[in-house]
mmCIF file of all heavy atoms in Angstrom:
data_model
loop_
_atom_site.group_PDB
_atom_site.id
_atom_site.type_symbol
_atom_site.label_atom_id
_atom_site.label_comp_id
_atom_site.label_asym_id
_atom_site.label_seq_id
_atom_site.Cartn_x
_atom_site.Cartn_y
_atom_site.Cartn_z
ATOM 1 N N LEU A 1 0.751 -1.198 -0.013
ATOM 2 C CA LEU A 1 0.028 0.052 0.030
ATOM 3 C C LEU A 1 0.793 1.368 0.011
ATOM 4 O O LEU A 1 0.561 2.189 -0.779
ATOM 5 C CB LEU A 1 -0.905 -0.005 1.223
ATOM 6 C CG LEU A 1 -1.801 1.258 1.507
ATOM 7 C CD1 LEU A 1 -2.644 1.512 0.292
ATOM 8 C CD2 LEU A 1 -2.551 1.120 2.817
ATOM 9 N N LEU A 2 1.832 1.377 0.863
ATOM 10 C CA LEU A 2 2.602 2.563 1.072
ATOM 11 C C LEU A 2 3.354 3.103 -0.159
ATOM 12 O O LEU A 2 3.253 4.265 -0.507
ATOM 13 C CB LEU A 2 3.530 2.491 2.265
ATOM 14 C CG LEU A 2 4.246 3.686 2.727
ATOM 15 C CD1 LEU A 2 3.174 4.771 3.144
ATOM 16 C CD2 LEU A 2 5.138 3.321 3.955
ATOM 17 N N PRO A 3 4.082 2.242 -0.926
ATOM 18 C CA PRO A 3 4.764 2.739 -2.055
ATOM 19 C C PRO A 3 3.874 3.367 -3.124
ATOM 20 O O PRO A 3 4.173 4.362 -3.688
ATOM 21 C CB PRO A 3 5.484 1.484 -2.620
ATOM 22 C CG PRO A 3 5.738 0.655 -1.439
ATOM 23 C CD PRO A 3 4.425 0.806 -0.617
ATOM 24 N N GLU A 4 2.688 2.738 -3.297
ATOM 25 C CA GLU A 4 1.745 3.174 -4.325
ATOM 26 C C GLU A 4 1.146 4.580 -3.811
ATOM 27 O O GLU A 4 0.966 5.497 -4.633
ATOM 28 C CB GLU A 4 0.612 2.172 -4.479
ATOM 29 C CG GLU A 4 -0.413 2.662 -5.500
ATOM 30 C CD GLU A 4 -1.505 1.579 -5.683
ATOM 31 O OE1 GLU A 4 -1.284 0.398 -5.276
ATOM 32 O OE2 GLU A 4 -2.593 1.923 -6.194
ATOM 33 N N LEU A 5 0.998 4.680 -2.578
ATOM 34 C CA LEU A 5 0.365 5.883 -2.057
ATOM 35 C C LEU A 5 1.414 7.072 -2.189
ATOM 36 O O LEU A 5 1.046 8.170 -2.595
ATOM 37 C CB LEU A 5 0.098 5.710 -0.545
ATOM 38 C CG LEU A 5 -0.582 6.984 0.146
ATOM 39 C CD1 LEU A 5 -1.933 7.265 -0.308
ATOM 40 C CD2 LEU A 5 -0.569 6.692 1.672
ATOM 41 N N ILE A 6 2.672 6.808 -1.835
ATOM 42 C CA ILE A 6 3.650 7.873 -1.989
ATOM 43 C C ILE A 6 3.918 8.233 -3.478
ATOM 44 O O ILE A 6 4.025 9.447 -3.798
ATOM 45 C CB ILE A 6 5.023 7.295 -1.345
ATOM 46 C CG1 ILE A 6 4.807 7.239 0.162
ATOM 47 C CG2 ILE A 6 6.139 8.306 -1.638
ATOM 48 C CD1 ILE A 6 6.022 6.587 0.799
ATOM 49 N N ASP A 7 3.836 7.219 -4.359
ATOM 50 C CA ASP A 7 4.029 7.533 -5.779
ATOM 51 C C ASP A 7 2.932 8.448 -6.319
ATOM 52 O O ASP A 7 3.151 9.202 -7.247
ATOM 53 C CB ASP A 7 4.141 6.218 -6.581
ATOM 54 C CG ASP A 7 4.540 6.396 -8.018
ATOM 55 O OD1 ASP A 7 5.600 6.908 -8.264
ATOM 56 O OD2 ASP A 7 3.660 6.028 -8.898
ATOM 57 N N SER A 8 1.712 8.134 -5.815
ATOM 58 C CA SER A 8 0.525 9.003 -6.368
ATOM 59 C C SER A 8 0.611 10.390 -5.974
ATOM 60 O O SER A 8 0.013 11.246 -6.516
ATOM 61 C CB SER A 8 -0.751 8.336 -5.804
ATOM 62 O OG SER A 8 -0.848 8.535 -4.453
ATOM 63 N N ARG A 9 1.465 10.718 -4.913
ATOM 64 C CA ARG A 9 1.503 12.106 -4.358
ATOM 65 C C ARG A 9 2.844 12.761 -4.794
ATOM 66 O O ARG A 9 3.187 13.835 -4.341
ATOM 67 C CB ARG A 9 1.364 12.160 -2.951
ATOM 68 C CG ARG A 9 0.026 11.773 -2.478
ATOM 69 C CD ARG A 9 -1.028 12.736 -2.861
ATOM 70 N NE ARG A 9 -0.766 14.091 -2.456
ATOM 71 C CZ ARG A 9 -1.101 14.612 -1.280
ATOM 72 N NH1 ARG A 9 -1.857 13.797 -0.495
ATOM 73 N NH2 ARG A 9 -0.842 15.911 -0.932
ATOM 74 N N LYS A 10 3.750 12.109 -5.553
ATOM 75 C CA LYS A 10 5.059 12.571 -5.770
ATOM 76 C C LYS A 10 5.157 13.929 -6.520
ATOM 77 O O LYS A 10 6.167 14.694 -6.341
ATOM 78 C CB LYS A 10 5.907 11.528 -6.501
ATOM 79 C CG LYS A 10 5.360 11.293 -7.943
ATOM 80 C CD LYS A 10 6.301 10.188 -8.586
ATOM 81 C CE LYS A 10 5.811 9.945 -10.049
ATOM 82 N NZ LYS A 10 6.532 8.822 -10.688
ATOM 83 N N ASN A 11 4.142 14.320 -7.250
ATOM 84 C CA ASN A 11 4.195 15.577 -7.969
ATOM 85 C C ASN A 11 3.569 16.703 -7.104
ATOM 86 O O ASN A 11 3.535 17.852 -7.684
ATOM 87 C CB ASN A 11 3.407 15.417 -9.293
ATOM 88 C CG ASN A 11 4.111 14.478 -10.244
ATOM 89 O OD1 ASN A 11 5.288 14.382 -10.407
ATOM 90 N ND2 ASN A 11 3.249 13.722 -11.001
ATOM 91 N N SER A 12 3.094 16.416 -5.958
ATOM 92 C CA SER A 12 2.446 17.527 -5.219
ATOM 93 C C SER A 12 3.271 17.898 -3.977
ATOM 94 O O SER A 12 2.743 18.677 -3.076
ATOM 95 C CB SER A 12 1.066 17.031 -4.706
ATOM 96 O OG SER A 12 1.175 15.859 -3.896
ATOM 97 N N GLN A 13 4.439 17.503 -3.906
ATOM 98 C CA GLN A 13 5.424 17.866 -2.865
ATOM 99 C C GLN A 13 4.740 17.637 -1.459
ATOM 100 O O GLN A 13 4.644 18.589 -0.696
ATOM 101 C CB GLN A 13 5.843 19.286 -2.947
ATOM 102 C CG GLN A 13 6.588 19.545 -4.241
ATOM 103 C CD GLN A 13 7.035 21.091 -4.435
ATOM 104 O OE1 GLN A 13 6.531 21.895 -3.682
ATOM 105 N NE2 GLN A 13 8.086 21.230 -5.207
ATOM 106 N N PRO A 14 4.338 16.430 -1.131
ATOM 107 C CA PRO A 14 3.652 16.182 0.137
ATOM 108 C C PRO A 14 4.609 16.276 1.331
ATOM 109 O O PRO A 14 5.803 16.087 1.169
ATOM 110 C CB PRO A 14 3.169 14.766 -0.015
ATOM 111 C CG PRO A 14 4.160 14.072 -0.992
ATOM 112 C CD PRO A 14 4.562 15.187 -1.877
ATOM 113 N N THR A 15 4.054 16.632 2.507
ATOM 114 C CA THR A 15 4.830 16.542 3.723
ATOM 115 C C THR A 15 4.570 15.204 4.444
ATOM 116 O O THR A 15 3.751 14.369 4.037
ATOM 117 C CB THR A 15 4.346 17.692 4.672
ATOM 118 O OG1 THR A 15 2.905 17.466 4.997
ATOM 119 C CG2 THR A 15 4.555 19.062 3.937
ATOM 120 N N LEU A 16 5.257 14.928 5.459
ATOM 121 C CA LEU A 16 5.067 13.686 6.238
ATOM 122 C C LEU A 16 3.684 13.656 6.787
ATOM 123 O O LEU A 16 3.064 12.545 6.767
ATOM 124 C CB LEU A 16 6.023 13.654 7.405
ATOM 125 C CG LEU A 16 7.552 13.442 7.112
ATOM 126 C CD1 LEU A 16 8.377 13.512 8.372
ATOM 127 C CD2 LEU A 16 7.825 12.162 6.328
ATOM 128 N N GLU A 17 3.185 14.767 7.307
ATOM 129 C CA GLU A 17 1.856 14.666 7.971
ATOM 130 C C GLU A 17 0.780 14.555 6.840
ATOM 131 O O GLU A 17 -0.249 13.828 7.088
ATOM 132 C CB GLU A 17 1.591 15.972 8.704
ATOM 133 C CG GLU A 17 1.594 17.303 7.915
ATOM 134 C CD GLU A 17 1.470 18.480 8.818
ATOM 135 O OE1 GLU A 17 1.678 18.401 9.957
ATOM 136 O OE2 GLU A 17 1.112 19.557 8.275
ATOM 137 N N GLN A 18 0.967 14.976 5.670
ATOM 138 C CA GLN A 18 0.044 14.824 4.567
ATOM 139 C C GLN A 18 -0.031 13.340 4.195
ATOM 140 O O GLN A 18 -1.171 12.797 3.966
ATOM 141 C CB GLN A 18 0.398 15.646 3.387
ATOM 142 C CG GLN A 18 0.070 17.194 3.594
ATOM 143 C CD GLN A 18 0.644 18.104 2.471
ATOM 144 O OE1 GLN A 18 1.558 17.692 1.717
ATOM 145 N NE2 GLN A 18 0.043 19.248 2.215
ATOM 146 N N LEU A 19 1.173 12.764 4.039
ATOM 147 C CA LEU A 19 1.225 11.351 3.691
ATOM 148 C C LEU A 19 0.599 10.421 4.718
ATOM 149 O O LEU A 19 -0.008 9.445 4.406
ATOM 150 C CB LEU A 19 2.634 10.971 3.265
ATOM 151 C CG LEU A 19 3.168 11.509 1.960
ATOM 152 C CD1 LEU A 19 4.668 11.353 1.855
ATOM 153 C CD2 LEU A 19 2.419 10.856 0.767
ATOM 154 N N PHE A 20 0.876 10.848 5.872
ATOM 155 C CA PHE A 20 0.301 9.980 7.058
ATOM 156 C C PHE A 20 -1.242 10.076 7.059
ATOM 157 O O PHE A 20 -1.939 9.062 7.238
ATOM 158 C CB PHE A 20 0.790 10.464 8.415
ATOM 159 C CG PHE A 20 0.521 9.581 9.588
ATOM 160 C CD1 PHE A 20 0.846 8.256 9.470
ATOM 161 C CD2 PHE A 20 -0.061 10.002 10.674
ATOM 162 C CE1 PHE A 20 0.613 7.320 10.464
ATOM 163 C CE2 PHE A 20 -0.289 9.254 11.752
ATOM 164 C CZ PHE A 20 -0.029 7.857 11.654
ATOM 165 N N TYR A 21 -1.746 11.302 6.841
ATOM 166 C CA TYR A 21 -3.165 11.497 6.750
ATOM 167 C C TYR A 21 -3.761 10.658 5.557
ATOM 168 O O TYR A 21 -4.797 9.961 5.672
ATOM 169 C CB TYR A 21 -3.514 12.933 6.560
ATOM 170 C CG TYR A 21 -4.909 13.181 6.100
ATOM 171 C CD1 TYR A 21 -6.013 13.212 6.996
ATOM 172 C CD2 TYR A 21 -5.141 13.559 4.705
ATOM 173 C CE1 TYR A 21 -7.296 13.376 6.441
ATOM 174 C CE2 TYR A 21 -6.467 13.802 4.306
ATOM 175 C CZ TYR A 21 -7.463 13.681 5.128
ATOM 176 O OH TYR A 21 -8.790 13.948 4.647
ATOM 177 N N ASP A 22 -3.026 10.760 4.399
ATOM 178 C CA ASP A 22 -3.501 10.022 3.276
ATOM 179 C C ASP A 22 -3.538 8.492 3.583
ATOM 180 O O ASP A 22 -4.451 7.803 3.040
ATOM 181 C CB ASP A 22 -2.540 10.256 1.981
ATOM 182 C CG ASP A 22 -2.699 11.664 1.420
ATOM 183 O OD1 ASP A 22 -3.662 12.238 1.713
ATOM 184 O OD2 ASP A 22 -1.920 12.082 0.676
ATOM 185 N N LEU A 23 -2.546 8.010 4.299
ATOM 186 C CA LEU A 23 -2.501 6.541 4.517
ATOM 187 C C LEU A 23 -3.744 6.237 5.469
ATOM 188 O O LEU A 23 -4.401 5.181 5.212
ATOM 189 C CB LEU A 23 -1.233 6.245 5.236
ATOM 190 C CG LEU A 23 -1.204 4.743 5.893
ATOM 191 C CD1 LEU A 23 -1.243 3.776 4.694
ATOM 192 C CD2 LEU A 23 0.013 4.603 6.697
ATOM 193 N N LEU A 24 -4.028 6.983 6.524
ATOM 194 C CA LEU A 24 -5.187 6.764 7.369
ATOM 195 C C LEU A 24 -6.493 6.821 6.575
ATOM 196 O O LEU A 24 -7.346 5.925 6.731
ATOM 197 C CB LEU A 24 -5.199 7.818 8.409
ATOM 198 C CG LEU A 24 -4.109 7.776 9.495
ATOM 199 C CD1 LEU A 24 -4.224 8.932 10.427
ATOM 200 C CD2 LEU A 24 -4.030 6.495 10.198
ATOM 201 N N GLU A 25 -6.630 7.684 5.652
ATOM 202 C CA GLU A 25 -7.809 7.802 4.814
ATOM 203 C C GLU A 25 -7.927 6.593 3.880
ATOM 204 O O GLU A 25 -9.010 6.028 3.686
ATOM 205 C CB GLU A 25 -7.802 9.097 3.978
ATOM 206 C CG GLU A 25 -8.182 10.298 4.704
ATOM 207 C CD GLU A 25 -9.597 10.411 5.148
ATOM 208 O OE1 GLU A 25 -10.434 10.200 4.174
ATOM 209 O OE2 GLU A 25 -9.960 10.540 6.189
ATOM 210 N N ALA A 26 -6.780 6.162 3.349
ATOM 211 C CA ALA A 26 -6.737 4.941 2.462
ATOM 212 C C ALA A 26 -7.225 3.696 3.279
ATOM 213 O O ALA A 26 -7.902 2.804 2.576
ATOM 214 C CB ALA A 26 -5.396 4.739 1.910
ATOM 215 N N LEU A 27 -6.954 3.644 4.532
ATOM 216 C CA LEU A 27 -7.239 2.487 5.238
ATOM 217 C C LEU A 27 -8.765 2.314 5.495
ATOM 218 O O LEU A 27 -9.234 1.225 5.744
ATOM 219 C CB LEU A 27 -6.572 2.450 6.627
ATOM 220 C CG LEU A 27 -4.957 2.416 6.617
ATOM 221 C CD1 LEU A 27 -4.482 2.539 8.016
ATOM 222 C CD2 LEU A 27 -4.482 1.128 5.916
ATOM 223 N N ILE A 28 -9.529 3.446 5.428
ATOM 224 C CA ILE A 28 -10.968 3.381 5.619
ATOM 225 C C ILE A 28 -11.715 3.704 4.430
ATOM 226 O O ILE A 28 -13.034 3.895 4.427
ATOM 227 C CB ILE A 28 -11.358 4.259 6.829
ATOM 228 C CG1 ILE A 28 -11.015 5.721 6.535
ATOM 229 C CG2 ILE A 28 -10.720 3.804 8.167
ATOM 230 C CD1 ILE A 28 -11.606 6.636 7.630
ATOM 231 N N ASP A 29 -11.074 3.890 3.281
ATOM 232 C CA ASP A 29 -11.738 4.355 2.079
ATOM 233 C C ASP A 29 -12.852 3.470 1.672
ATOM 234 O O ASP A 29 -13.905 3.981 1.150
ATOM 235 C CB ASP A 29 -10.656 4.566 0.996
ATOM 236 C CG ASP A 29 -11.274 5.246 -0.291
ATOM 237 O OD1 ASP A 29 -11.861 6.282 -0.120
ATOM 238 O OD2 ASP A 29 -11.154 4.578 -1.316
ATOM 239 N N GLU A 30 -12.717 2.206 1.817
ATOM 240 C CA GLU A 30 -13.743 1.243 1.328
ATOM 241 C C GLU A 30 -14.698 0.784 2.371
ATOM 242 O O GLU A 30 -15.657 0.010 2.211
ATOM 243 C CB GLU A 30 -13.128 0.049 0.714
ATOM 244 C CG GLU A 30 -12.236 0.356 -0.484
ATOM 245 C CD GLU A 30 -11.500 -0.895 -1.071
ATOM 246 O OE1 GLU A 30 -11.737 -1.950 -0.363
ATOM 247 O OE2 GLU A 30 -10.833 -0.784 -2.023
ATOM 248 N N ASP A 31 -14.536 1.387 3.642
ATOM 249 C CA ASP A 31 -15.351 0.905 4.755
ATOM 250 C C ASP A 31 -16.797 1.201 4.659
ATOM 251 O O ASP A 31 -17.647 0.355 5.043
ATOM 252 C CB ASP A 31 -14.822 1.489 6.043
ATOM 253 C CG ASP A 31 -13.526 0.793 6.377
ATOM 254 O OD1 ASP A 31 -12.690 0.508 5.519
ATOM 255 O OD2 ASP A 31 -13.203 0.604 7.631
ATOM 256 N N PRO A 32 -17.267 2.382 4.200
ATOM 257 C CA PRO A 32 -18.707 2.625 3.982
ATOM 258 C C PRO A 32 -19.466 1.503 3.099
ATOM 259 O O PRO A 32 -20.465 0.979 3.579
ATOM 260 C CB PRO A 32 -18.847 3.970 3.356
ATOM 261 C CG PRO A 32 -17.658 4.625 3.818
ATOM 262 C CD PRO A 32 -16.579 3.508 3.780
ATOM 263 N N ALA A 33 -18.810 1.221 2.020
ATOM 264 C CA ALA A 33 -19.395 0.128 1.217
ATOM 265 C C ALA A 33 -19.276 -1.230 1.836
ATOM 266 O O ALA A 33 -20.220 -2.057 1.742
ATOM 267 C CB ALA A 33 -18.551 0.012 -0.176
ATOM 268 N N PHE A 34 -18.233 -1.524 2.678
ATOM 269 C CA PHE A 34 -18.149 -2.752 3.368
ATOM 270 C C PHE A 34 -19.144 -2.854 4.445
ATOM 271 O O PHE A 34 -19.817 -3.928 4.564
ATOM 272 C CB PHE A 34 -16.709 -2.768 4.026
ATOM 273 C CG PHE A 34 -16.479 -3.961 4.953
ATOM 274 C CD1 PHE A 34 -16.496 -5.208 4.368
ATOM 275 C CD2 PHE A 34 -16.281 -3.836 6.288
ATOM 276 C CE1 PHE A 34 -16.309 -6.394 5.172
ATOM 277 C CE2 PHE A 34 -16.053 -4.928 7.061
ATOM 278 C CZ PHE A 34 -15.964 -6.205 6.576
ATOM 279 N N ALA A 35 -19.472 -1.815 5.161
ATOM 280 C CA ALA A 35 -20.498 -1.748 6.159
ATOM 281 C C ALA A 35 -21.898 -2.047 5.515
ATOM 282 O O ALA A 35 -22.759 -2.790 6.056
ATOM 283 C CB ALA A 35 -20.530 -0.494 7.019
ATOM 284 N N HIS A 36 -22.078 -1.381 4.347
ATOM 285 C CA HIS A 36 -23.357 -1.470 3.689
ATOM 286 C C HIS A 36 -23.634 -2.983 3.268
ATOM 287 O O HIS A 36 -24.711 -3.432 3.358
ATOM 288 C CB HIS A 36 -23.345 -0.598 2.454
ATOM 289 C CG HIS A 36 -24.614 -0.615 1.683
ATOM 290 N ND1 HIS A 36 -25.854 -0.225 2.197
ATOM 291 C CD2 HIS A 36 -24.921 -1.124 0.461
ATOM 292 C CE1 HIS A 36 -26.828 -0.457 1.339
ATOM 293 N NE2 HIS A 36 -26.227 -0.989 0.167
ATOM 294 N N LYS A 37 -22.468 -3.607 2.809
ATOM 295 C CA LYS A 37 -22.654 -4.963 2.418
ATOM 296 C C LYS A 37 -22.967 -5.919 3.553
ATOM 297 O O LYS A 37 -23.854 -6.785 3.315
ATOM 298 C CB LYS A 37 -21.227 -5.453 1.853
ATOM 299 C CG LYS A 37 -21.310 -6.806 1.178
ATOM 300 C CD LYS A 37 -19.923 -7.128 0.535
ATOM 301 C CE LYS A 37 -19.998 -8.443 -0.205
ATOM 302 N NZ LYS A 37 -18.656 -8.749 -0.831
ATOM 303 N N ILE A 38 -22.445 -5.696 4.714
ATOM 304 C CA ILE A 38 -22.876 -6.394 5.870
ATOM 305 C C ILE A 38 -24.349 -6.194 6.257
ATOM 306 O O ILE A 38 -25.070 -7.167 6.583
ATOM 307 C CB ILE A 38 -21.999 -6.081 7.124
ATOM 308 C CG1 ILE A 38 -20.506 -6.466 6.934
ATOM 309 C CG2 ILE A 38 -22.482 -6.741 8.412
ATOM 310 C CD1 ILE A 38 -19.582 -6.141 7.952
ATOM 311 N N GLU A 39 -24.744 -4.931 6.151
ATOM 312 C CA GLU A 39 -26.179 -4.670 6.418
ATOM 313 C C GLU A 39 -27.127 -5.388 5.524
ATOM 314 O O GLU A 39 -28.141 -5.853 5.858
ATOM 315 C CB GLU A 39 -26.363 -3.088 6.397
ATOM 316 C CG GLU A 39 -25.672 -2.377 7.480
ATOM 317 C CD GLU A 39 -25.871 -0.901 7.256
ATOM 318 O OE1 GLU A 39 -26.289 -0.435 6.309
ATOM 319 O OE2 GLU A 39 -25.474 -0.152 8.295
ATOM 320 N N GLU A 40 -26.742 -5.337 4.244
ATOM 321 C CA GLU A 40 -27.523 -6.026 3.201
ATOM 322 C C GLU A 40 -27.672 -7.546 3.494
ATOM 323 O O GLU A 40 -28.710 -8.232 3.327
ATOM 324 C CB GLU A 40 -26.949 -5.839 1.825
ATOM 325 C CG GLU A 40 -27.210 -4.497 1.259
ATOM 326 C CD GLU A 40 -26.877 -4.366 -0.328
ATOM 327 O OE1 GLU A 40 -25.868 -5.154 -0.680
ATOM 328 O OE2 GLU A 40 -27.524 -3.646 -1.070
ATOM 329 N N HIS A 41 -26.508 -8.121 3.987
ATOM 330 C CA HIS A 41 -26.593 -9.535 4.326
ATOM 331 C C HIS A 41 -27.584 -9.859 5.397
ATOM 332 O O HIS A 41 -28.337 -10.796 5.314
ATOM 333 C CB HIS A 41 -25.131 -9.939 4.728
ATOM 334 C CG HIS A 41 -24.986 -11.461 4.824
ATOM 335 N ND1 HIS A 41 -23.827 -12.040 5.197
ATOM 336 C CD2 HIS A 41 -25.801 -12.507 4.542
ATOM 337 C CE1 HIS A 41 -23.908 -13.272 5.322
ATOM 338 N NE2 HIS A 41 -25.197 -13.634 4.853
ATOM 339 N N ILE A 42 -27.512 -8.962 6.410
ATOM 340 C CA ILE A 42 -28.472 -9.208 7.590
ATOM 341 C C ILE A 42 -29.891 -8.990 7.079
ATOM 342 O O ILE A 42 -30.747 -9.768 7.505
ATOM 343 C CB ILE A 42 -28.102 -8.163 8.696
ATOM 344 C CG1 ILE A 42 -26.766 -8.545 9.354
ATOM 345 C CG2 ILE A 42 -29.173 -8.244 9.807
ATOM 346 C CD1 ILE A 42 -26.329 -7.519 10.393
ATOM 347 N N SER A 43 -30.061 -8.010 6.314
ATOM 348 C CA SER A 43 -31.433 -7.743 5.833
ATOM 349 C C SER A 43 -31.984 -8.896 4.927
ATOM 350 O O SER A 43 -33.103 -9.242 5.021
ATOM 351 C CB SER A 43 -31.416 -6.414 4.950
ATOM 352 O OG SER A 43 -32.716 -6.206 4.371
ATOM 353 N N ASN A 44 -31.135 -9.442 4.083
ATOM 354 C CA ASN A 44 -31.541 -10.581 3.255
ATOM 355 C C ASN A 44 -31.905 -11.802 4.231
ATOM 356 O O ASN A 44 -32.828 -12.517 4.001
ATOM 357 C CB ASN A 44 -30.401 -11.032 2.328
ATOM 358 C CG ASN A 44 -30.189 -9.955 1.256
ATOM 359 O OD1 ASN A 44 -31.135 -9.224 0.891
ATOM 360 N ND2 ASN A 44 -29.006 -10.014 0.645
ATOM 361 N N LEU A 45 -31.202 -12.050 5.242
ATOM 362 C CA LEU A 45 -31.385 -13.042 6.169
ATOM 363 C C LEU A 45 -32.792 -12.859 6.923
ATOM 364 O O LEU A 45 -33.608 -13.864 7.104
ATOM 365 C CB LEU A 45 -30.344 -13.288 7.240
ATOM 366 C CG LEU A 45 -28.955 -13.802 6.754
ATOM 367 C CD1 LEU A 45 -27.885 -13.782 7.812
ATOM 368 C CD2 LEU A 45 -29.113 -15.241 6.229
ATOM 369 N N GLU A 46 -33.005 -11.646 7.296
ATOM 370 C CA GLU A 46 -34.267 -11.375 7.924
ATOM 371 C C GLU A 46 -35.417 -11.463 6.970
ATOM 372 O O GLU A 46 -36.547 -11.974 7.353
ATOM 373 C CB GLU A 46 -34.204 -9.907 8.508
ATOM 374 C CG GLU A 46 -33.248 -9.826 9.740
ATOM 375 C CD GLU A 46 -33.092 -8.310 10.101
ATOM 376 O OE1 GLU A 46 -33.287 -7.418 9.312
ATOM 377 O OE2 GLU A 46 -32.693 -8.137 11.217
ATOM 378 N N ASP A 47 -35.278 -11.193 5.690
ATOM 379 C CA ASP A 47 -36.298 -11.329 4.766
ATOM 380 C C ASP A 47 -36.657 -12.748 4.538
ATOM 381 O O ASP A 47 -37.837 -13.194 4.388
ATOM 382 C CB ASP A 47 -35.904 -10.782 3.334
ATOM 383 C CG ASP A 47 -35.868 -9.235 3.314
ATOM 384 O OD1 ASP A 47 -36.493 -8.707 4.185
ATOM 385 O OD2 ASP A 47 -35.288 -8.687 2.428
#
């Protein structure tokens, strides 16, 4: 994950804190869709 993240920002002169923030965001980027998938699974079972 990390090399790809750093490479994606190489043209914007990122700071350490910016890259750390980007990493944290990347770690939860797919979580809303993941949570929605779990809710759909529960809903299907209840149906």
Side-chain angles (χ1 to χ4, degrees):
L1 175 61
L2 190 60
E4 182 179 342
L5 182 67
I6 294 174
D7 187 64
S8 70
R9 294 294 303 269
K10 64 183 180 181
N11 295 324
S12 60
Q13 300 181 338
T15 62
L16 291 179
E17 63 187 19
Q18 287 172 335
L19 287 169
F20 190 54
Y21 165 79
D22 287 346
L23 173 64
L24 294 175
E25 283 287 309
L27 295 178
I28 61 173
D29 187 53
E30 299 178 357
D31 286 37
F34 176 62
H36 181 67
K37 188 175 181 180
I38 294 177
E39 290 175 352
E40 282 191 330
H41 190 186
I42 292 176
S43 179
N44 289 337
L45 290 174
E46 291 173 338
D47 286 344

